[in-house]
Amino acid sequence: MPVPEEPDDPVDRALELLEHYRQRRDLTAMSLAEDLLRRVPESDPARPVALVVMAELIVLRVRESDPLTTLDHAVDVARAAVDLASPGDPIESLARSQLCWTLCQRHEATGQLADLDEALRQGAAAVAGATASPQDRAGGLRNLGNARRLRYARFGQLADLDEAVRLTRAAVATVDDPVGLLVSQGMLTTCLISRFMALGRMGDADEAVELGRVMLAGLPAEHIERVMVQANLAHALWQRHMRGGPAADLEEATRTSREVVTTLPAYPRMRSQFLANHAVVLFGHFLSGDSGGHVEAAVRAAREAVEGAASDDPKLSIHRSNLANMVLVRARLGRDPVGVDEAVEIGRTALAGLSPGDPDRCRALSVLATAFRVRHMITGAPVDLDAAVGLWRSAVGSRVGPIEVRMGAATAWANAATDVGDAGLALEAYSVAVGLLPVLAWRGLDRSVQEQRLAKSAGLGAEAAAWALAAGQPRRAVELLEHGRQVLWSQAVQTRSDLSALAVAAPELAARLDETRRALDGEGADWSGGRAGGADPAGFEWLAVAATGSGTAGEADHRRRSAEHWERLLAEARRQPGFEDFLAAPRFESLRRAADDGPVILVNTTRWRSDALVVTATEVYPVPLPWLDHDTAQNRAGALLAAQREAESGRGPLARTHLRQTLISIQRWLWDTLAEPVCAALDEILGPAPADGSGAGPGDGSAARRRVWWCPTGPLTMLPLHAAGRYGAGKELRDRRRPTVAARVVSSYTSSLGALLRARTGPAPARPPRVFAVGLAQTPGQAPLPAVADELRAVGANLPGVRLLSGSGATTSAVLAALGQHSWAHFACHARQDFDHPSASALHLADGQLSVLDLSSGSTLAARTGAGADLAYLSACRTAAGGRDLPDEAIHLTAALQLAGYRHVIGSQWAVSDRVAAQVAEAVYARLTAGGEPDASGAAYALDRAVARVREEQPDRPELWASLIHTGP
């Protein structure tokens, strides 16, 4: 392709030569263009435009091979263009846009915040004053979007990232020339990848991949932007694969990255960056289970990236940190102490090149800490462990580090402490990790991403509590169990907490908090102390490359902005005198009030130890459970779930018999390992249960029993602790030892101490209660429920004036409205528990599903006026069973209704017989109305006696009577 002939206008000629360079990477054309631009006289009106083009050429020269200090000259040239442009002239906006871009390039090279601040100002001025062509306006939008992306990378404010996507998307929509479209699409792709890394929203990754493929298809093989497009496509594919994308993504990322590497000799300045990225892709094969040969290839590429980098390369320390990580992994695979030493030295050098305020320093700290820990495992030298702990402390304390890296450092620190048996050190590390959970599952994230992140840290609170007990701090164990569980519900509760005290001290601040929480609740669900994301799931730093030169989820963007605003206001409130702990995680002194009416039994099981923590109104008493094995508990919970699914699939009598036998075995195992030692400890701690029968409920003459609340953790949340026992024992043994929980206590459940405390102290219910009932004997796609009609008649007989929603009238909108208007609610219908995505669990209604999120939304609570809600009876299947991967989050319909304000909720742990459900419901309501006016305060006793009647008739069929449970005070 020949160099274009020279036109009359030297600037036009230079632009043609620049395009020739882009198409063929002809360095001669670049030099000719520079010569032409230099010859434009200062008095020539075209001089500002010439300087704009010159600044772009200088930056391109840096990418080729010129030293980074050349960027100073590029900034000077771009600034001169701004100074020469006439105010209000379209060229002024073009010049400011160019200066914005050039300053961004220098900021990326040097990290100077002054450059980023000025880039943002110049970019905003360029967009505000743009009156020129669509091409120039698109350039301003694109360059300002890039500046916002860089500010996010430095400070972690997601609002910057959202704005970067919005601006670059607008640039794509505005531009009307092929070159501008290509560059704008490239920048949009970069911003989408950054947001996907931060928020995990798969739609961003899908759009980035599609854009990359479209751009790549339209570029000739020699175009200078092709390698950039390929690199970003490989990046998007890799990120999508590592966060649950298809396996084909990794293969395509590898092919694409390899194509990038083959063009490296032509791009000296970019060589190290592309090689480092290729090393990460190769390592991805090893992480995905491929052979260790990919580790060797990855190390070679990473080492070449480090050795080939210029001394002034701003990414050199990141390349070294990646290399240290890969060398360490290879050394561990090969049991090579020399390789571990090398990883330590490379890691030290990498860390030395990163300033304390650099977001990448967090990961470098963690990599070096791991290297020291591995060396300690080999040598046993205490100095290495001390070094590792110190580095982990620094990493988790980084307020600009990605939260996933910080959490990884905290858990690695905790694991190291437990490996050496240092309870105090383990408690310190676990306390830090538990404190990071709300940041990991930041309220501005999509709910699915929150759940995915929490699933990776499942059991963290339980492990923390175990080591608090090992350190002799049972009160701290209670706090850590409370703070490490129900993270998502706690966020919702926090935004709905009472602001009245703050309103007296700071009324304007309280009003702003109230307004913000309404916005959050309206979405159904500030970055505080760290970036919401951005860490590579493999633990490596991927260097995104922006090319030089769909509709978003608007509601999600609004929720994130509201969440950031909430965190800022919350921090401001905590600066008020006397409000230092405002809406903070509760201490034991406040939590123990949940046990004012009887002991709460926290049952904790981990791989190290299992314990029950008996919380009373004054103290907590640890009860060791040495025979309760964590792995066995997981296996039992899995066996019960499998048996339930088999029985519910319609496989006949054998499946139902298998469920029955599984339950009986679990009941006996729970009694022997957990319930009997707890019941014995209760008698020792509290003395014998009241002998006057008051423990069994008003007017009940059964054997003395006390009231207790069970609060299980982990796999135990899936098991019927209240039904533990040896129900087949002979009469003599039953009378002498009472070998069942039901014979010793009246059981209720609570998902946390805070939930029970809120239920106790909530608004007083209306008297008499307003009641509504939902009944659906026929639901599309579900088995018929013939006993629903009898159940509804029983409800109506005991509660005259009940409002009935049945058939086509039982719609989602009608039920939501009724929840806000009635203090008692009864549901006789089908329900579904989604064990993989528990927030999608729902009641089946006439026109669709009413999910956990629908029921717990702020709008449900806001619809209530005056008195509080009192009783919700869920005569439906699996309404009190949580998620398989998130058992401690208690994401189920029962918990959702409690959050919506219902103090007492009756639900089921597995599918209930239609006939038995109706029988129990009738007995419960008869007892609750026995005194004349309906009173839900005896709900636990009413359910206990109603279930006992079924159990007495069929003691050997726990599948019929053990499912229903009471939650509440």
Side-chain angles (χ1 to χ4, degrees), residues 116-285:
L116 183 56
D117 290 340
E118 186 180 0
L120 288 161
R121 290 195 300 272
Q122 295 291 348
V127 171
T131 58
S133 66
Q135 175 183 352
D136 292 342
R137 177 166 176 76
L141 291 165
R142 176 179 68 244
N143 292 333
L144 179 57
N146 185 39
R148 295 295 292 265
R149 176 185 68 87
L150 292 174
R151 189 164 71 175
Y152 161 75
R154 187 58 186 264
F155 299 111
Q157 295 291 336
L158 285 167
D160 281 327
L161 200 49
D162 287 335
E163 184 66 3
V165 171
R166 187 191 71 79
L167 289 165
T168 52
R169 198 185 299 282
V172 171
T174 302
V175 71
D176 63 352
D177 71 291
V179 174
L181 178 62
L182 173 67
V183 180
S184 297
Q185 287 175 327
M187 186 55 66
L188 174 57
T189 300
T190 300
C191 294
L192 287 168
I193 296 171
S194 295
R195 193 165 70 175
F196 176 63
M197 292 174 66
L199 302 175
R201 218 170 68 192
M202 195 60 72
D204 284 340
D206 294 342
E207 185 179 1
V209 168
E210 184 59 28
L211 268 173
R213 288 169 175 164
V214 169
M215 287 188 289
L216 198 58
L219 284 173
E222 295 182 344
H223 198 287
I224 64 164
E225 301 295 350
R226 183 177 178 85
V227 68
M228 301 295 186
V229 172
Q230 287 178 308
N232 274 347
L233 176 58
H235 187 188
L237 288 162
W238 157 257
Q239 291 293 342
R240 189 169 71 173
H241 167 73
M242 293 305 294
R243 288 169 167 80
D249 279 353
L250 180 58
E251 298 301 327
E252 186 179 354
T254 305
R255 290 194 306 271
T256 306
S257 180
R258 188 175 291 117
E259 290 176 16
V260 172
V261 171
T262 60
T263 67
L264 286 180
Y267 298 90
R269 174 62 71 177
M270 308 298 293
R271 179 180 180 83
S272 292
Q273 185 167 325
F274 290 141
L275 276 168
N277 288 356
H278 187 55
V280 173
V281 173
L282 290 172
F283 203 81
H285 282 276

Side-chain angles (χ1 to χ4, degrees), residues 522-764:
E523 297 298 331
D526 175 19
W527 163 82
S528 177
R531 287 191 275 183
D536 192 294
F540 294 96
E541 180 68 19
W542 183 294
L543 305 175
V545 286
T548 56
S550 111
T552 61
E555 291 185 357
D557 296 345
H558 172 70
R559 182 175 64 250
R560 287 196 294 275
R561 288 192 294 271
S562 297
E564 288 180 337
H565 192 50
W566 170 266
E567 296 296 343
R568 287 193 293 270
L569 292 173
L570 191 58
E572 184 180 345
R574 288 173 180 169
R575 290 192 292 270
Q576 302 293 316
F579 289 87
E580 293 79 9
D581 295 326
F582 180 67
L583 299 186
R587 304 280 187 182
F588 177 78
E589 286 303 313
S590 61
L591 291 172
R592 64 185 175 85
R593 291 172 45 221
D596 281 350
D597 292 339
V600 181
I601 305 163
L602 309 177
V603 189
N604 194 49
T605 177
T606 69
R607 51 186 164 146
W608 295 289
R609 60 185 291 161
S610 296
D611 302 88
L613 294 167
V614 179
V615 179
T616 70
T618 57
E619 194 49 88
V620 54
Y621 301 91
V623 179
L625 301 173
W627 301 110
L628 179 60
D629 178 70
H630 181 263
D631 289 343
T632 302
Q634 284 189 316
N635 292 336
R636 293 277 187 171
L640 178 57
L641 179 58
Q644 290 170 18
R645 286 176 166 170
E646 184 181 5
E648 294 164 20
S649 65
R651 297 185 182 178
L654 286 178
R656 292 192 293 274
T657 300
H658 176 58
L659 172 60
R660 183 179 311 137
Q661 292 172 342
T662 301
L663 274 169
I664 291 172
S665 175
I666 288 172
Q667 287 175 305
R668 292 173 177 174
W669 172 77
L670 283 172
W671 174 255
D672 294 341
T673 62
L674 189 163
E676 185 176 30
V678 167
C679 288
L682 287 173
D683 289 341
E684 183 178 341
I685 295 166
L686 302 175
D692 59 0
S694 61
D700 196 303
S702 59
R705 299 185 297 164
R706 72 176 82 251
R707 182 84 189 281
V708 303
W709 284 260
W710 298 100
C711 185
T713 67
L716 296 174
T717 61
M718 310 286 286
L719 300 177
L721 274 61
H722 65 287
R726 293 184 169 272
Y727 289 91
K731 183 178 185 305
E732 181 181 352
L733 179 61
R734 290 201 309 271
D735 294 341
R736 180 167 50 86
R737 293 186 55 192
R738 295 191 294 161
T740 67
V741 168
R744 303 285 192 96
V745 300
V746 176
S747 293
S748 292
Y749 282 83
T750 183
S751 53
S752 68
L753 291 169
L756 181 56
L757 189 58
R758 288 189 297 274
R760 289 198 195 285
T761 59

